[in-house]
Each structure stands twice: as structure tokens, then as C-alpha cells.
Amino acid sequence: MAGAPVLAGAVLGALLALAAATLTPIHRAGFCAFYGDCGRNPEVNVSLLPSGVPCLDNAPARVATGPLLSLLRTVCPELVTSGDDNVPTRVCCSLKQLSDLQLSVALSGAVLARCPACARNFANIYCRNICSPDQSLFTNVTRVLKPPADPLNSTRLAVVEYQCYYRRHFADAAFDSCRAVRLPATGGYAIDTMCGRYGARLCTAQRWLDFQGDKNNGLAPLQIDFRLLPNDTQPGQGLEPLDGRAWRCDEALSAEQQPCSCQDCDASCPPLVPPPNPPPPFRLGAADGVLVLCGLLFGLLALVFVAALLWRRCRRSPKGVAPPPPSSPPSSSRPGGCSRRLGDGGHRLLASAFRRWGTLVAGHPVAVLLVAAAAAGGLSAGLVSLRLTTDPVELWSAPGSRVRQEKAFHDRHFGPFFRTNQIIVTAPGRPGTGYESVVFGAKNFSGVLSAEVLRTLLELQEELAAIKVRAPTSGKEVTLKDVCYAPLNPHQPTLADCCVNSVTQYFQNNATRLAMTATQTDGKKTGTADWRDHLIYCVNSPLSFKDITALELSCMAQYGGPVFPYIALGGYPGSEYTQAEALIVTYSLNNFPPGDPRHEWVLSWESRFLQLVGDFQRAHGPNLSVTFMAERSLEDEINRTTGEDIPVFAVSYLLVFLYIALALGEYSTLRRLLVDSKVTLALGGIAVVLGAVLASMGLLALLGLPSSLIILEVVPFLVLAVGADNIFIFVQEYQQSQREPGERREQHIGRVLARVAPSMLLCSLSEVVCFLLGALSSMPAVRTFALTAALAIAFDFLLQMSGFVALLALDARRQEAARLDLCCCWGLEKGGAGGGGTGLLRPLLRRYYTPLLLHRWARPAVVLLFLFLACAGLYLTLQVPVGLDQELAMPKDSYMLQYFAALNQYLAVGVPTYFVTTGGYDFSSPAGTDGICSSAGCHPRSLTTTIQYATRFPNASYLAIPATSWLDDFLDWLNPTARCCRVHRYGNLSGTFCPSTSNDLSCIGGQCLNVTRRPTVEEFERFLPWFLHDRPTLQCAKGGLGAYDTALSMDANGTILASRFMAYQRPLRTSQEYTAALRAARALAEEITATLRSVPGTHPDFRVFPYTVTYVYYEQYLTVVAEGVFTLALCLVPTFLVSFLLLGMDLRSSAATLLTIAMILLDTVGAMALWDIPYNAVALINLVAAVGISVEFVSHLTCAFAHSTQPGRVARAAEATVNMGSKVVAGVAMTNLPGVVVLAFAKAQLIQIFFFRLNLIITLAGLAHGLVFLPVLLSYMGPGPRAPAGDAERGAGLGLGNPAFQDGDKDKDGDKDKDKDGARAKAKDKDGAKAKAKAKDKDGAKAKDEDTEKARD
């Protein structure tokens, strides 16, 4: 078996010998295979370089002298004999051949020079092929022709094909040195342009050389058949494969030069430590750790609660000891009575002030109404200067925020990010086809990649290119060239210069080229080449100026730039671009500030674009799926759905108004229906609420603060909930209170106001302070909402204390006069007055709900249930996603939803991300240059190298393509081996720039730099503007026009004020990914900043920051959680403090209020996770509003409990639930629910999710906690009674004196009393005695009040 390799090598050698031609009979050192120039190859129709083919010449090598030797030292230094000067240098090439070789090497040098080892190896291959004195040893000419320029000279033969034999390890080593060299302008690899159809991913040494020797590539003048042989194989016939040293990319060519950088050579990279993986989910064993902890927390709280109950029961009724008598001293005589007496004094002072104020207003209702209307109307007049903000940037990003400052810096120096208009075309259900290419073999094409679809798409593009639309204000007829982004001709663009990326651009948007066919021969195979062959080639080599097929078409777009397949195609597996499921057409338009007249132009063009593409979608709907968007689409759709949802909001408000109007009335008999109704009063109350909202918005408008749609949608609901609750409390308390003997109507209204106004003040003041603190938020929308809500609630309270009290006085006067509601000119006879109405809610609460809720077994169950809900809410809170996907901003019928779905499914690359440098960095100094660039000799942690490192870990950095680098391409542009940077040496243009396309003799030898080196500061500043305005060409692909002319901002002196380096993100799907990408980019930029600040001469304030168009929308999510917790905590603090002060420093009641509101918030946020409501700034606004609504659910009932005169906590909780609970349900819950439910029919998903779902959760959670949990909580931890039960002034105002609740309270306070029947009997006797005493003291008046009250209940 050991001889097998030798045998195989012998067989292969014999076969090669049989194939050898006789055109090169001598294969010997010192002999040539060809020499001299025989003119152009007649078999090459299209050649991008005017190179000739050599003449057949199997003669000894010639001695190089004079200009030939001089040029040889420059182009092929390895062939120059060194050491002994007596030994002449021999070559097999003429001066003309060497000059052509120099031009060819210059082309590759511009691309490969950034890696010296690669550039030298590549040049050495060509030098040895053409000029080696031992050329005949490894070269075998296989085909010749008569020179077309000299057909009569039979002694000269033009070589048009030859074989070249290399050792495989030599070719592999040369290829390995070049395979990772980057193209800074694209972020791709240079091999992409040098391996034809295979691209960088599939390229090998054999394929690399095959492309160099393919006469159809537009560069090679003849066909070269490269044959790579293993070490143990000889071709025979005296042939010896070329072998030699190939420099490794991590080797320096000399002591003065540097090895290739890490970006171009993997072997030069230091060991890269991958970023740490994100922390795994917290787990305890196999279980979710957070769930386990929340379960343990619930168990602990439940255990503490049960233990407290048992301890309390044992302490109250030890075995054999009777319970304490019910006539124990009131709490005012116990420790802490001083603060309670102080609180009672404060309450009496407030009650007295409100009594006097109510009496005064009720006595002069018309004057008060006029003053209130004038004040509200005057402030509302400020609405004429109202500015409505719809720009999401202005709404959610603070002007002083980091991202806004960075955006302003970027736009100031580079202009706004260009506008994108995009079309995505798919062909669902259309079958794919197979294709057998003569050149590329078998390929599969998807259904959308068919000639019919491409022609249809091309027709659409031609129609869009022909758009002419008149701008409405200026009247200018706008065309695409007026608004398009034209990178290579930005000042006077034509339609052909517009940047349009599409698969049809591989055919330069030309239908004739798309339809072209040609006879294709590849070896022994012959067939037809068509658009599919050209497409296969271009998607793998998009930078090619000519394909290798018989079509001989360019792959470059019509505007002069490349079209990368990941931009024009989508939905392909791996790199199988021909199986793409989607065609993507992208129009890039210039962006202009709103004040620029051209802003109207681009909006007009985009409007017409949407119309035409919409028509195209409808026309081709049966066969093609077409999704599309314009830059204006998002704002258009939001405005459209806002307009369409106005009727929904109108119906919502009308239902709320109708409910309030009907629910306020007390209906006794049908005859008095129109007298007892309160429609006019309800409309007045609604007018008060709306007046408060309009006055607050008008005042802020006068102060110059803009408003927003979200304020118009949320604030009225919030103020309606607050205002309606106060209205119901006030009106129902007045209806239930009987006028005392000798008391005038005005005094009666004042007395009722004294009872309810302290509670209303408590709620309103808590909410106002809460929202004022919420205005400390950095988010403009949250801040403006909080200020508007605070002012609206404050104005609402003031208008209710003035205007609504006056309205109630007028309505009471009307009702007493038996005048009809809504038409007070007619009325009934006064003698027809009926008794009070019979409400449904209060009797239900008193007879059924409250006894069940406060049952001795129900109360612990309620506490345990809500503790469980709180712990579950805590767990679910941690599961709520943070962010707002852009799809949610669209209505369900929006065409943008289809576009977003297609974008997420098919897009192969994300948006560009710029790394922007500020002023204060010296790019022209050697150290400054090395700190930025990524080619040989650059700093190992330079800006571009650091970004390139990050792209190796796209899951952590979210970057997919390395940054383009103007500085790297500028250095390559300066390289003297290329013909990019040249200066006219003499003549009229002496000292000026000589373009690479110029063949002027004055440019010969006029390279900007004589040797490869860093430019001096003066050279840097002189040549940089030339580079930025040099148009890329085949002769010099490194020109900066189009790629980099907008990448720098310089002052008049040439000082660089700012620069940017563009990378690409990987495709991002969710707002969480966008936020994480921002966080990762900032961390990367901070790392780069720290490195560059260490460069000598760098200003301490210099920094690098990332910027992309999406950052301004997603920065809020970096801090929205912390800011939300802070804002909500700030809202809770004043709620506690105001309750503590206004309730007479009642710590227990204030703590109960705070705890209940916090639990409402916790359960609300937890329910958001169950109902797919993400947390974001819109949700935060609703949660801040939830605090205000929760105060209404909680504080009124707490205040009623705190001032109840019942002797025990359970009885006081029952009294507060019946008295105040019915008003809260009627005023808050039933006011919110009808309006909220209607919002479920809105088209906008934002309204459905954040206004219907979230407000429904807030209302139901607030109702459950306020009406179920809070009474039970107060029955356990509420304070003792503030005054003896016989205090008639307070008992009449805040309690019903219902004996049933007293019985229950005594029974529950004495849980161990075994003789319950006897206790109830004693209680009834005692209550009866109290009732008789009161009746006697009041001359029977109180007894009448109680009878009337019972009749109502």
C-alpha cells in the first residue's frame, strides 16, 4: 500500500504527458514559452483592459537592461538578480508586456495592498507567469493564432491559451494569504471580486486561479489553464511545477514593513475571548426560581396573617375569660389620642370652612357660575395657540437626552438619514423551476425569480421612474431625480444616477438586456446563456464589471454602484440566492428638514409612489404578493386611524355622559320622572369636567408647552373618573340627607358639602401632587401628560367647589318648585311631590354583599386571596415584555402590517449603524491614523478592528457586517502601486489631481507617494479632498465619491469636525432586540472611545458614539423600567402623606390606602403579562393615571371609615362600604366601564391594547381592591372610632346607624361570645334606647329622618 501514492502520481504524470502539446518543445531552465506582444486577442470581444497577448517564443530568456530592468525592480523585484552584479537579470517579457503587467497589478494592488503579503504573492504569481526566465519549465502553450494585426507574417504566432503548472501547496499558501482581505467600502472580502461565480464563501485556490485565467472575466487577455499538482506528482516532458515561497499573511515582508492586520488575516488576530453569554434564567433546581420565591413569599405572608389571627383571638378571649365589655373607653382616651384630637380638630376646621363656602355659593349661584365660566373660558382661550405633537421623537425622547443630542450632532454634520421607500414582491404558490446552466451547472430557481415576474417588476420600476407630481404649495412638478439619493452625482443627478436597489439592476434596469441570449460554450458543452446565467454570476460577484458568460454584461447597477444580493433578495437558504422567495426594491431618497421646500417635494413624490404601488398590488394580487412602504407611511397610517377612531371615542364619551345623566337622578313615580331627573345637573357636571380639561390644556398652551393625541385620549377619561366620582358623592349625599328644621336650602347644601368635601379634597390633592411629581419624568409625553392631568384635576376640584355647587343649588331650587328637568319653564303642582327613590345598589350592598364580605370566615379568605393575587402579580410583573413593536402602532387593516410581516420574514440584513467620531481627534498624525485604520501597521485595537472583532459575535454585538472605513480606503488610494492618486507633473495642470482614467503623459510617474508609507500631515490634508471627490472606476475602485464624500465633515481649513464609519446590524425583529442592539453598540463605542483618547493629541472630550435612525425610538426602553418604578413610587408617596395629614395623622388608614393602591398597580402590571400588553411609555402613562383612579376607589372609602362613629372596625367597614362603596361604584367604575368597553371596537391596535385592555384592567382591579379587599383590610388594621357613637353631627353625615352592622360588629369583635342570640337582643335594646333619646332631643325630627332613610334603602 505504501507504493500506491507513487503509482497514482506516475499514472497522472503519464496522462499529463500525453496531453502536452508540441508548441513548447523545450522545457528547460533559462528558456521562455512566449515573449513579446502580438496585439489583441481576436477571441475576446469585451476587454476592460487594453492588454495584448504574447508571441510564441520557446527561446532563451533575454537580459533585462535599462528601462526594462528599472521597471522590473518596481513591479517584480523577486526576479531581479541580487548579489553578484556580473550575473545579468534575464526575463521572458518585453517592456510592453511588463508595462501591461504593471497596470494589471495596479488594479489588484488597489484592492490587496492593505495586506502586503497578499499583494506581493498575487503580483509574484503574475510576474513568474509572464517574466520568469524559467518560464518554459512550468508553462506549456496549447493554442496559438495568427496575430490579427500581422496576418502575413507567418513566423509570429499569438499565444491564446496555455497550461501553467503549480505545486498545490504553493498556490494554497498564496491563496490563504489573500482569502481574508477585506474591502473597507463594502465590509466584504476582496476575494468576492476575484473568484467569479463562487464568491468568497466557496472560493478555493484552484477556483481563484481559474478565474484569473478566464478570458471571459474582462481582464485576462487569454485563457490560462492552471494545474495544481501534489508534491509527489510530475507532469513529465521535462515540466516542473512552479514552486517557491509564498509569504504568510502574518509575516512582514521586511523589517520596515508590517504583517497584515487581524481584519485581513486571521492568523494575525490575538485570541478573541467571546463575550459572556447572557445569564441563564434564574432557576431553583428544575423550577422557575422567581416563581418559587413568589410562592414562598405568599406562604410566608399567609403564615404571618394566620398566626396574627390566632394570636389576636387567643389574646382577646383566653380560656375561661369573658370578652371585654363593649362599653370600653373610646380610642381618643388611649395613647395617641392627642394626634387624633388634632386630626379631629383639623377635620372640623375643614368642615366649617366648606360649610360656610357652600352656603355662600348656594346663596349666589348665578354670580358664581358666571365667574367660574369666565375663568374656565379665559384659560381655554389659550387653545388657539395649542401645538399638537405627532412626531414620535418629540413625544418619547427628551430634547436633552443622549440620543437626541447625538442625532442632532449627526444631522448637523452629515444631514438627516435618507428616506427609504421599499417594495417586497413574492409569488406564493408559484412553483420553482430547475435550470441546467452550461457554465454553472444545475441550479434551482424559485417561483418569484422568473422572467415574467422580473419583466413585471421592471415595468413597475419604469412607471415609478416616470412619476411626475405637482407639489401643492410650491406648484413645482417633482420627478424622481429631484428627490433621489444619487451617490455618484449628487449635484446634478439624472434618473440613471438615482440609487435604486433591485434585482433588475443586475441588468441596469434594461428590458433588452434582460431578454438577451447568447451561445455559450464551456469545454465540450455548448448551449444558450440567458438572464439566469448572468444572475447566477452577479449574485456571487456583485462587484464585477463583466460576467464570464457569453452575454458579457456588467453586474453594476445603473447608478454605478454594486447591488448586494442580501439587499435585493430575501428568504433564501444559506447562500442559494437563486432560491430567494422575495424580490426587494429599495428607493433611497434625500431627507430634508420640515422647513425646506424640498421636504414637500419628497412627500408629494412618496404620496404618488404609494398610489402607484397600491394600484400595482391590486392589479397583480391574484399572482403576486406585493407589500410596500414609504417613509411617510407610518405617520400617514397613524393619522388615518386617529381620524377613523374619532367616532369611537365620541360614542365612548356619549355613553359616559348618558350614564351620568341618567344615574344621578332619584326616581320615585312616573309622574315626577322629569322633575326628579338630573340630566341638566349631569350635563353641568360634565361641562365642569370638560372645562377643567380645556382650561388646563389652554393654560399649558399659553405657557408654550405642546400637547399630544395621547393627552386628548387619556386625560378626559381620567378627569371624568375623578370628577364623576365627586359628583356622585356630592349629589347622592344631598339626596340622602334631610333638611333640618329651620334650615334653609343654602345652609343644607353647605352642611352636605362640609361632609363630603374633605374626602374630595383628600383625593384631589393626592392626585394633583402625584401627577406633579410624575411630571419629573424625562419623557416629554409623560411629563406633559402629568402636568395636564395635575392642572385638570386641580381645576376640576375648584370648578366643582364653585360652579357645580352653584348648579346643584339651582337644580334644588328647580326640583323644590316642581319644575321639569331640561325645560324649567313648565312644572307640576307643588303638592304632587313624592317620596325618595329606591336605589338598587345600596340595598344590595347593605343586605347581601357587606354581610357576606365581612363574615368571620370570608374575611380571612379574602385576605389570603388578595395576597395570592399580589404575589402572582409580582411574578407576572417580571414577565411583562418591555418595548413597543412597530406593528402595534398600525391599525389592523393597515397595509403596513403586511409589509412588517414580509420584512421580518425575508430581510437578510439590518439597518446601517454609524460609529460617529466627534471633533478633537487628529486623523492626520501617524498615531491618529493607526488608531482608526485596520490595514497593515494599524493599532491592534483600532476603531475599525474593534468593530470587526464585534461582528464575529453577532448574537452579542448585533452587528453583522464590519464598518466601512474611509481612512483605510484613503490609504489604499494613496498606494503608489495603484494609479489612483496621481499629480500632473508639468503643463497647465501641473500640481493638480490626475484622475485614474486619464492617459495624459504629464501623469506618468506622478504618484502622490513614491513609496508605500503613511502620508505626512501636509500630504494628508492635501490629498484627502481629492480622494473624497474621486469617482470610483475600473482603473481605481478606491475613489471616495459616493462611498465616503458624506462620511466626513470638515471646516474651511480642512479640519475634520466629525466622521462616521458605517456597519450593518443583523436583522432585528422585536423592540427588545432593537434595545439590546443599542445597548451593545454603546458599550462598543465606549470601549473605542477609551482606546482613542489614549492616542497622543486627542482632546479629553473626544468620543465615539453609535447612531442609527431607530435609536431615537428605542433609547427610552433602556431606562423606562427604572423611570417607571421611580415615577410610580413618587406618585404613591404623596398619596400616603396627604392621607396621613388630612386624616389627622392616621397612620393605619394611610398605610391601608398606600398598600391597596400598590396592590392595584402590582395586579394591573401582572395582568398585562396575561393579556399581551407590553410595558412602555404609553403603558406608563396609563399606570400613572391608574394611581389617580385607584385613589378614587380607595381614599373615599378610607376617609369614610376613618370618620365613622360605629364602635367596632367591622361595623365601621360595613358602614363605609355601604355608604361610600355605592357612590364609588356608581361614580368611578360605572363611569369608566361603558366608555372603556366601546374602545374595543377601535381600529388602532394601540387604542385596543393600551386604552381598552389596560384601562379595563385598571378599572376592574381598582373596583375589586376598593370594594372587596380594602373593607376587609380596614376591618383588621383600621383605627378605632374617633368619637362616641352618639355624636349626632358625624353619625348623621358618615354613617347609616344600621343596627345590623352594629350586631355584626359586636359579634365579630367578641368572636368567643357563645351566647350570640342574647348579644344581638341586648344590642337591639340598646340601639332602640339610643334612637328614642335622639328622637326626644331632636323633637322627633331625627326619627323622621331615619324613617325616610329606611324607605329609601
Side-chain angles (χ1 to χ4, degrees), residues 454-513:
L454 293 181
R455 284 193 297 269
T456 302
L457 186 62
L458 189 54
E459 290 171 1
L460 171 64
Q461 292 176 232
E462 291 172 349
E463 190 175 1
L464 294 174
I467 284 179
K468 292 182 180 180
V469 60
R470 195 165 297 279
T473 302
S474 64
K476 176 180 172 56
E477 188 177 71
V478 181
T479 62
L480 178 59
K481 68 178 183 179
D482 296 318
V483 295
C484 73
Y485 170 62
L488 295 179
N489 189 12
H491 302 297
Q492 293 182 334
T494 64
L495 281 177
D497 295 319
C498 292
C499 180
V500 180
N501 284 296
S502 169
V503 67
T504 58
Q505 282 281 28
Y506 289 130
F507 307 90
Q508 295 74 51
N509 284 343
N510 188 304
T512 302
R513 293 179 182 175

Side-chain angles (χ1 to χ4, degrees), residues 319-357:
K319 199 168 185 178
V321 179
S327 57
S328 56
S331 60
S332 57
S333 64
R334 299 169 186 164
C338 180
S339 64
R340 290 180 177 174
R341 286 194 296 273
L342 183 62
D344 289 343
H347 180 74
R348 283 193 293 270
L349 183 63
L350 279 176
S352 175
F354 280 118
R355 178 194 290 268
R356 294 191 183 94
W357 172 256

Side-chain angles (χ1 to χ4, degrees), residues 777-832:
S777 171
S778 63
M779 294 183 188
V782 177
R783 181 171 61 251
T784 308
F785 162 76
L787 284 174
T788 307
L791 284 177
I793 291 173
F795 288 156
D796 180 61
F797 177 77
L798 294 176
L799 290 175
Q800 284 179 337
M801 292 299 101
S802 54
F804 189 74
V805 172
L807 287 172
L808 180 66
L810 292 175
D811 187 74
R813 182 187 303 175
R814 173 199 63 79
Q815 188 173 11
E816 290 178 5
R819 296 287 182 178
L820 300 183
D821 192 18
L822 294 175
C823 187
C824 56
C825 298
W826 288 274
L828 304 177
E829 296 180 4
K830 291 188 178 181

Side-chain angles (χ1 to χ4, degrees), residues 738-795:
Q738 297 298 315
R739 190 173 303 167
E740 296 179 352
E743 188 178 44
R744 293 181 292 110
R745 179 174 56 255
E746 293 79 3
Q747 293 173 330
H748 184 197
I749 293 175
R751 177 165 57 84
V752 171
L753 187 64
R755 296 174 188 165
V756 299
S759 175
M760 295 164 63
L761 176 64
L762 167 64
C763 293
S764 299
L765 186 59
S766 298
E767 291 157 357
V768 169
V769 178
C770 161
F771 289 124
L772 287 177
L773 291 177
L776 297 176
S777 171
S778 63
M779 294 183 188
V782 177
R783 181 171 61 251
T784 308
F785 162 76
L787 284 174
T788 307
L791 284 177
I793 291 173
F795 288 156

Side-chain angles (χ1 to χ4, degrees), residues 15-93:
L15 292 175
L16 292 173
L18 290 174
T22 59
L23 295 174
T24 312
I26 302 173
H27 298 289
R28 188 187 311 164
F31 275 74
C32 302
F34 44 76
Y35 179 85
D37 185 78
C38 275
R40 299 290 297 274
N41 187 349
E43 296 181 347
V44 177
N45 298 321
V46 178
S47 179
L48 302 175
L49 288 178
S51 300
V53 294
C55 300
L56 182 66
D57 191 334
N58 197 198
R62 279 72 164 174
V63 176
T65 59
L68 176 61
L69 181 60
S70 176
L71 186 58
L72 190 68
R73 287 193 176 99
T74 301
V75 181
C76 303
E78 290 86 354
L79 298 182
V80 178
T81 303
S82 58
D84 190 353
D85 294 336
N86 296 324
V87 179
T89 297
R90 295 182 178 274
V91 294
C92 287
C93 59

Side-chain angles (χ1 to χ4, degrees), residues 1326-1349:
K1326 186 173 181 179
D1327 289 338
K1330 288 182 179 179
K1332 291 178 181 179
K1334 290 179 182 178
K1336 185 177 180 180
D1337 292 339
K1338 299 286 185 176
D1339 296 325
K1342 185 61 180 177
K1344 182 180 179 181
D1345 287 350
E1346 290 179 354
D1347 292 339
T1348 305
E1349 187 72 8

Side-chain angles (χ1 to χ4, degrees), residues 113 137 143 280-281 383 390 402 408 426 534 661 673 687 740 789 887 892 951 996 1075 1164 1306:
L137 278 177
R143 202 156 60 89
L383 291 173
T390 58
R402 175 178 171 180
T426 60
H534 181 66
L673 179 66
E740 296 179 352
E887 292 88 341
K892 288 185 176 180
T951 59
S996 60
T1075 306
T1164 298
K1306 289 183 179 181

